[in-house]
Amino acid sequence: MEFSLTQEQLQLRSTVREFAEAEIAPHVPDWDENQTFPLEAFKRAGELGYIGSIFPEELGGAGLGYIDYAIIMEELSRVDPSFGLILAAQCSLCTNHIFLAGSDEQKRRYIPKLATAEWIGCWSLTEPEAGSDAGGTRSRATKDGACWVLNGGKTFTTNAQYADVCVAMAVTDRAASQHGISAFILEKGVPGYSTGKKENKMGMRASATGEVLFNNCRVPESQLLGKPGEGFVDSLRILDGGRISIAALSVGTAQGAYEAALKYSKQRKQFGRPISEFQAIQNKLADMATEIDAARLLTYRAAWLKDQGHRVTKESSMAKLFASEVAVRVSNEAVQIHGGYGFIKDYPVEKFYRDAKLCTIGEGTSEIQRLVIARQLLKTP
Ligand SMILES: Cc1cc2nc3c(=O)[nH]c(=O)nc-3n(C[C@H](O)[C@H](O)[C@H](O)COP(=O)(O)OP(=O)(O)OC[C@H]3O[C@@H](n4cnc5c(N)ncnc54)[C@H](O)[C@@H]3O)c2cc1C
């Protein structure tokens, strides 16, 4: 077993950290307060190769693996989890779906622009009546000559309002149930495709979350992504990788909150000494650091297995479940260590606390992760 990162990975961590601290950190409170989508900084991260890291160089990516991607995700989320969420939707959901299921022509048309963040991408599975039960999708696509016509609507789509490209799932054969849902690639500006309400959120406020609407949206057959009827099954494969992404986002969020709490505990004095000298605070810091390490190890294991070409349904769900719950616990303790100041927006921990909660919900709630893990466990003889 090898627990150390390579020299290249250490270098990657330090350059992404420099970028995040110089070009993201100064804007975080403002982006959060005003729900500003960080378009310019995201495009800059694209130029640096951080957005399409897992895609081959010939398609505009950086040709890196999932461990490298996890490092990038951690470092961006350590400074701003919203930025991590925008990356997750763009890279491991939208672009990866096109990469895994797309034709050569689709890959050539979309991946270079998405990998470099010249274009923004979103991925729409969730509907108002189909969340955890995404197989209950109601949006439909019907064949009309050489075109597909989409009707219906999606909710909670990350990047929706800013997306140039949307990968969306719609029912093409209701009788075939989960094998009757297909994926489509929709480009901004296509008639009948629009975005609706942008949500006003508790956390992850710099990321845009909103509705995607189809009103007789007519697209040529070439916009079908993957085999007809396999869009939902492909989505489950995409989510296997996506959950590594959210696990890494959670680790980064927890790390950011922990570092802020550690620093504060050494500065804040009560009863004549730094609060870090009280055993109650030391116990919290020790538990936080231990849990972050465990979450990181689960995340890297899933990433490593994925890089080796294994199916990672169980391992990515375990990493996502554990790391997201750790992000919530650690950010909660980080606020506690700050006392009253933890409740005030002048300190970064209240934002980590608000942002962390999404990690236990997006790309499958903790309850659904347990269901996925248990299904895998029960499969083994
Ligand atoms: C900020 C944000 C960004 C998002 N981005 C995207 C995106 O880019 N693309 C996209 O497609 N979706 C996205 N989502 C949607 C997200 O994946 C769903 O919100 C999530 O899967 C839960 O679905 P739901 O909200 O409908 O909750 P529900 O499914 O209604 O769940 C409600 C509660 O019931 C529990 N529950 C449901 N079924 C079961 C069960 N069988 N067993 C036990 N408990 C159960 C859930 O765990 C939860 O606690 C986003 C959501 C948010 C909030």
Side-chain angles (χ1 to χ4, degrees):
M1 294 191 91
E2 175 59 83
F3 282 99
S4 52
L5 297 177
T6 63
Q7 275 310 314
E8 290 79 14
Q9 287 166 337
L10 291 171
Q11 182 62 36
L12 177 69
R13 187 185 287 290
S14 107
T15 51
V16 181
R17 183 168 293 199
E18 268 172 41
F19 165 78
E21 286 181 349
E23 300 196 35
I24 299 178
H27 309 287
V28 170
D30 173 52
W31 291 347
D32 176 61
E33 186 69 21
N34 298 306
Q35 300 204 83
T36 307
F37 189 85
L39 192 59
E40 208 180 302
F42 194 71
K43 286 186 181 279
R44 175 88 185 107
E47 286 163 17
L48 293 169
Y50 302 155
I51 304 304
S53 59
I54 53 174
F55 304 107
E57 290 178 57
E58 59 271 23
L59 288 173
L64 299 175
Y66 266 78
I67 295 198
D68 311 287
Y69 175 51
I71 292 168
I72 294 170
M73 178 61 86
E74 265 181 75
E75 290 303 322
L76 296 173
S77 306
R78 170 183 166 272
V79 169
D80 188 3
S82 285
F83 205 92
L85 187 61
I86 297 167
L87 169 61
Q90 169 107 0
C91 173
S92 53
L93 296 181
C94 175
T95 317
N96 206 30
H97 198 145
I98 298 173
F99 183 63
L100 289 184
S103 63
D104 285 347
E105 203 183 325
Q106 288 170 334
K107 288 184 202 178
R108 279 197 304 272
R109 173 159 175 78
Y110 295 107
I111 296 181
K113 289 198 169 73
L114 289 166
T116 51
E118 186 184 333
W119 280 0
I120 303 298
C122 68
W123 190 81
S124 278
L125 176 63
T126 306
E127 297 189 356
E129 304 302 324
S132 300
D133 180 17
T137 294
R138 292 183 181 183
S139 292
R140 61 192 188 284
T142 44
K143 201 74 192 289
D144 183 14
C147 288
W148 288 97
V149 181
L150 280 80
N151 278 291
K154 301 283 175 180
T155 190
F156 292 154
T157 296
T158 300
N159 299 347
Q161 277 78 7
Y162 294 85
D164 300 285
V165 180
C166 172
V167 170
M169 271 41 79
V171 176
T172 46
D173 179 1
R174 196 163 298 282
S177 181
Q178 296 191 345
H179 289 277
I181 298 173
S182 304
F184 294 89
I185 308 176
L186 304 156
E187 289 184 27
K188 187 165 139 184
V190 68
Y193 167 82
S194 62
T195 56
K197 184 181 171 220
K198 180 181 171 189
E199 304 295 348
N200 184 4
K201 305 195 296 291
M202 169 174 96
M204 299 289 196
R205 286 168 59 81
S207 76
T209 311
E211 290 175 327
V212 169
L213 306 168
F214 316 116
N215 184 10
N216 287 324
C217 173
R218 179 179 292 271
V219 291
E221 274 172 329
S222 57
Q223 296 311 100
L224 177 75
L225 174 60
K227 294 195 184 112
E230 293 305 300
F232 180 73
V233 177
D234 284 343
S235 295
L236 299 183
R237 277 200 300 149
I238 306 304
L239 285 169
D240 281 353
R243 285 168 183 161
I244 298 174
S245 173
I246 301 295
L249 194 166
S250 306
V251 172
T253 303
Q255 182 72 32
Y258 160 77
E259 285 177 24
L262 179 69
K263 183 171 161 209
Y264 184 82
S265 74
K266 292 185 199 164
Q267 292 166 347
R268 174 69 175 170
K269 286 193 176 141
Q270 286 294 280
F271 301 95
R273 35 189 188 138
I275 59 169
S276 60
E277 290 184 14
F278 300 127
Q279 201 172 32
I281 300 293
Q282 290 175 359
N283 287 349
K284 286 187 195 300
L285 291 169
D287 286 348
M288 290 156 84
T290 305
E291 288 207 302
I292 293 170
D293 259 13
R296 185 175 284 119
L297 287 172
L298 276 177
T299 305
Y300 288 0
R301 179 186 66 164
W304 182 84
L305 285 168
K306 182 118 180 82
D307 285 339
Q308 305 303 309
H310 295 284
R311 182 96 203 225
V312 291
T313 306
K314 183 182 75 181
E315 290 79 7
S316 64
S317 271
M318 283 178 164
K320 198 268 186 188
L321 169 64
F322 188 76
S324 63
E325 297 287 345
V326 164
V328 170
R329 280 198 295 274
V330 166
S331 57
N332 179 39
E333 289 294 42
V335 170
Q336 195 66 21
I337 288 172
H338 280 70
Y341 297 96
F343 209 68
I344 305 293
K345 284 183 184 278
D346 294 349
Y347 291 82
V349 287
E350 64 83 32
K351 178 177 175 298
F352 282 119
Y353 179 79
R354 288 184 284 109
D355 290 345
K357 190 58 201 153
L358 185 270
C359 302
T360 69
I361 296 169
E363 297 199 28
T365 62
S366 289
E367 291 77 11
I368 295 302
Q369 302 312 317
R370 290 189 173 93
L371 202 136
V372 170
I373 296 162
R375 247 186 227 147
Q376 296 297 317
L377 297 176
L378 293 167
K379 259 191 195 170
T380 47

